[in-house]
Amino acid sequence: MGALHVGEPRVSFQQMQVAKNGHGSVVEEIHGLIRVYKDGHVERLPAIPDVPSTWGGTAPGCVVARDVVVDCATGVWARLYAPTTSSVGGGRLPVVVYFHGGGFCVGSAAWSCYHEFLAQLAARAGCAVMSVNYRLAPENRLPAAFDDGLAAVRWLRHQAAASRAASDDLSWWRARSSFDRVFLMGDSAGANIAFHVAARLGQGQLGALSPLAVKGAILVQPFFGGVARTASEKTMPQPPRSALTLPISDCYWHLALPAGASRDHPWCNPLSRASPRLETLPLPPLLVCISEMDILRDRNLELCRAMRKAGKSVEQAMYCGVGHAFQVLHNYHLSQPRTQEMLVHIRAFVSAR
């Protein structure tokens, strides 16, 4: 897959020229991705194409994918992936519940870049994958995405409880899935969702999870923020078409957090004074994947240090020479080899549990 660019980032918080479509002026914009109009209308631009579950065969060829409705009331759906029996043997596979990135405001489980990456994850890390298409802000501000993450786990628990002998459209996926080895995973905003869903599950918000068992969480370039800037946020140079710059980050948080909330809100900054103490959060073992050239690098490292200090089990992996979302956007010349390194690390983390 070649490089995918999302357009020249440009963020505007001030009122822009009145639009001709009847929605008034554009009051928020990340160029090439999203426009928010004065009357609340949201326009998402086709920066990356949606693809069907059968796209690419499914690449890398030994993976089957299907779409399924998770919650009819909210419209949340998921794309399921599983390697074919011949590619990994006949055993059951650990299940990865995946949340895509996009600042809580853009992105889709149907985006071609996520379809390709998760097919690779299923094949090379030997996993069954559930890629969740959660509701987006600003129409559905946080905690909607966290609620949708819990709904996805609830749906998964129902599948785990289904009879192995049951024959329906999902029997192929259940037959490949080991529901007592579940991992929560996401990149960027999706990693934030995985973190908060893991904490909520640990606090018992879904009650007993059996026959599910969450064995770990994998946070790829987790999208957290704060009022005080880190060194990498202030000084890390970004290429012209970077997936995440500081103005873009601020715009996403402005659109995703409850109206009037600052970036020290607990959903944005888990280390703020307003957040629960990490010692009190019941979290599973964590793998945190960090990009050297990402503006979030120092914040990710700070989170790892704080979680270790709080007694949490944390592994971290640093990917040199690449920036935010390299594994899906392929926007750095080292993206491909670093993506393969990441898949090796994920496979090792999952296999050890």
Side-chain angles (χ1 to χ4, degrees), residues 28 32 83 86 204 210 229 282 352:
E28 312 266 10
S86 60
S210 180
R229 305 296 196 187

Side-chain angles (χ1 to χ4, degrees), residues 41-296:
H41 177 74
V42 178
E43 180 183 6
R44 291 183 177 84
L45 307 174
I48 296 173
D50 288 352
V51 296
S53 61
T54 54
W55 183 70
T58 289
C62 53
V63 173
V64 179
R66 298 286 186 275
D67 293 343
V68 63
V69 175
V70 170
D71 189 330
C72 293
T74 59
V76 173
W77 59 274
R79 181 161 293 180
L80 307 179
Y81 300 81
T84 59
T85 302
S86 60
S87 64
V88 294
R92 288 178 175 257
L93 304 172
V95 177
V96 171
V97 181
Y98 194 91
F99 304 99
H100 66 76
F104 304 103
C105 298
V106 299
S108 170
W111 271 11
S112 60
C113 57
Y114 281 108
H115 184 79
E116 180 194 54
F117 176 69
L118 294 176
Q120 287 192 67
L121 177 68
R124 298 183 184 180
C127 298
V129 178
M130 176 186 184
S131 177
V132 182
N133 202 70
Y134 53 88
R135 289 172 292 170
L136 299 176
E139 305 97 318
N140 302 282
R141 290 177 179 266
L142 294 175
F146 305 153
D147 295 340
D148 293 345
L150 286 181
V153 177
R154 185 184 298 112
W155 180 91
L156 191 66
R157 181 175 60 187
H158 175 75
Q159 297 303 315
S163 169
R164 293 188 180 186
S167 179
D168 57 30
D169 290 343
L170 298 178
S171 57
W172 67 275
W173 193 74
R174 287 196 301 268
R176 305 297 293 128
S177 300
S178 180
F179 294 107
D180 59 352
R181 295 177 65 208
V182 175
F183 295 82
L184 303 173
M185 180 178 175
D187 70 292
S188 196
N192 181 307
I193 297 170
F195 176 87
H196 284 287
V197 170
R200 287 184 173 203
L201 293 175
Q203 292 165 337
Q205 291 195 19
L206 281 187
L209 288 178
S210 180
L212 292 185
V214 176
K215 297 295 188 179
I218 303 163
L219 312 182
V220 179
Q221 304 137 359
F223 184 50
F224 292 111
V227 171
R229 305 296 196 187
T230 65
S232 62
E233 287 172 340
K234 291 187 290 187
T235 64
M236 182 71 71
Q238 294 296 297
R241 294 180 180 271
S242 174
L244 190 69
T245 63
L246 198 56
I248 289 175
S249 173
D250 288 349
C251 187
Y252 280 144
W253 284 120
H254 182 69
L255 294 173
L257 287 170
S262 80
R263 292 190 308 275
D264 280 336
H265 191 287
W267 295 336
C268 177
N269 186 359
L271 303 185
S272 71
R273 291 183 179 181
S275 300
R277 291 177 59 86
L278 287 178
E279 292 87 348
T280 69
L281 288 182
L283 295 169
L286 295 157
L287 169 63
V288 182
C289 300
I290 304 167
S291 295
E292 181 188 33
M293 308 304 293
D294 190 354
I295 65 168
L296 298 178

